[in-house]
Amino acid sequence: ETTLGAAAAQSGRYFGAAVAAGRLGDSQYTTILNREFNSITAENEMKWDATEPSRGTFTFGGADRIANHARANGKRLRGHTLVWHSQLPTWVRDIRDAATLRSVMNNHITTVATRYRGQIDSWDVVNEAFADGTTQLRPSVFRDVLGSGFIEEAFRTARAADPAAKLCYNDYSVEDWNAAKTQGMYALVRDFKARGVPIDCVGFQAHFGSGGPPATFQTTLTNFAALGVDVQITELDIAGAPTTGYANTVRACLNVPRCTGITVWGIRDSDSWRSGENPLLFDRSGNKKPAYDAVLSVL
Ligand code: XIL
């Protein structure tokens, strides 16, 4: 195959990119996007600060532009993200009353998920809830005011709002099976599956350093899949874009039947949130880098 999306589709997977609405007018950017990728994630436009900047006032301008681009060009759409401690407006962060916060969280989930109902393959319902280096949840207004049950509540609310979307828990530094954070996330997913809490997938962000994925990454994907969820690589980028790191990451996914797709977190190095590290598959001029060829040859 000659494109990432078509190559991934040969094994029933998608190959996506995070997209910024503000770049859709850049013809070099949209040419690469439309040619290479068959899935889109909004890099920022579906986050809480973008979609509900003040209580009850919903703004979908950027998110709609991305959803429209996906629909018009036949791309799948991932939803990112409904409940996250970051890019969260201060008006939410300042809520101290549990009944109020529960109502605000559920209204946010319901309103955003309902707007894109039927268009989203997978929603990152809760993002980055675990603390680095531990098995525990990180402090956040959600954990601190609602308790650890906020995650279950968010998933139940999302299921009611968009029953056809797969519902994912998404996090970073959970790729190494031996990491405490990975074990915390595993316990959460196992518990949800055991109790019938609606969860369908786990997203591994895969923001890697120059060494690429940990040696246990495929084991981690296999062990989560064995719980009865799909796994996805949701935000891949690797410092310096080493060919071996990219090839190993893609191979880990392809070796796991329930690894359903891979998303890179941007298109050209100049589009990256880690732009100084040149972590992506296309250079600043839109040319394919060696890592691109490495990925394509593994797909
Ligand atoms: C990043 C975006 O790429 C940046 O543009 C923004 O300034 C900050 O957020 N984990 C996530 C993503 O789940 O939403 C983050 O995206 C990167 C880390």
Side-chain angles (χ1 to χ4, degrees):
E1 287 297 339
T2 51
T3 70
L4 300 170
Q10 288 186 302
S11 68
R13 295 179 171 85
Y14 64 84
F15 204 102
V19 166
R23 299 188 201 272
L24 289 172
D26 174 340
S27 66
Q28 181 184 80
Y29 181 86
T30 53
T31 295
I32 300 170
L33 170 62
N34 294 347
R35 183 187 71 219
E36 295 287 343
F37 299 97
N38 55 12
S39 174
I40 289 178
T41 304
E43 185 174 3
N44 289 297
E45 291 80 354
M46 291 190 184
K47 294 172 181 176
W48 200 313
D49 59 352
T51 54
E52 194 186 7
S54 63
R55 185 173 174 180
T57 300
F58 287 86
T59 50
F60 291 116
D64 281 357
R65 280 198 280 163
I66 288 179
N68 290 342
H69 189 90
R71 190 184 320 100
N73 293 281
K75 311 297 185 192
R76 299 159 74 160
L77 187 59
R78 291 194 82 261
H80 177 78
T81 175
L82 295 169
V83 178
W84 186 26
H85 67 276
S86 186
Q87 293 179 270
L88 183 68
T90 53
W91 71 266
V92 183
R93 209 178 298 249
D94 288 345
I95 295 170
R96 288 290 168 270
D97 174 66
T100 303
L101 184 58
R102 181 170 295 113
S103 157
V104 159
M105 181 185 82
N106 286 331
N107 183 57
H108 181 79
I109 293 168
T110 299
T111 303
V112 177
T114 299
R115 185 173 187 89
Y116 300 105
R117 183 185 173 119
Q119 299 180 58
I120 303 277
D121 276 356
S122 303
W123 261 113
D124 292 332
V125 178
V126 175
N127 195 34
E128 300 184 353
F130 283 91
D132 293 343
T134 82
T135 60
Q136 303 303 123
L137 300 185
R138 72 168 70 235
S140 73
V141 69
F142 301 108
R143 189 208 69 168
D144 299 347
V145 175
L146 299 178
S148 59
F150 85 87
I151 302 178
E152 172 172 353
E153 176 131 2
F155 275 83
R156 292 191 186 281
T157 302
R159 177 70 96 223
D162 187 352
K166 300 223 178 197
L167 304 183
C168 301
Y169 176 80
N170 191 56
D171 215 326
Y172 68 90
S173 293
V174 287
E175 293 83 8
D176 182 352
W177 179 247
N178 298 315
K181 197 172 170 182
T182 307
Q183 294 303 312
M185 185 172 81
Y186 183 80
L188 175 91
V189 176
R190 188 178 49 189
D191 172 62
F192 277 18
K193 295 301 289 184
R195 292 191 298 110
V197 179
I199 185 168
D200 307 301
C201 40
V202 174
F204 297 82
Q205 291 186 10
H207 296 297
F208 294 133
S210 59
T216 57
F217 186 36
Q218 186 178 312
T219 297
T220 302
L221 296 176
T222 297
N223 289 346
F224 275 87
L227 293 175
V229 290
D230 289 342
V231 294
Q232 304 172 349
I233 295 172
T234 53
E235 305 184 14
L236 177 61
D237 51 18
I238 309 181
T243 55
T244 304
Y246 265 103
N248 288 346
T249 303
V250 173
R251 200 173 291 115
C253 181
L254 290 187
N255 284 341
V256 177
R258 289 198 79 159
C259 184
T260 56
I262 299 171
T263 297
V264 286
W265 205 241
I267 297 177
R268 302 162 301 195
D269 286 331
S270 46
D271 304 315
S272 173
W273 73 310
R274 302 169 66 188
S275 159
E277 298 176 281
N278 297 323
L280 294 176
L281 301 178
F282 293 86
D283 70 17
R284 282 153 210 275
S285 304
N287 299 308
K288 297 170 181 174
K289 294 165 62 181
Y292 172 97
D293 296 303
V295 167
L296 191 62
S297 64
V298 172
L299 282 172

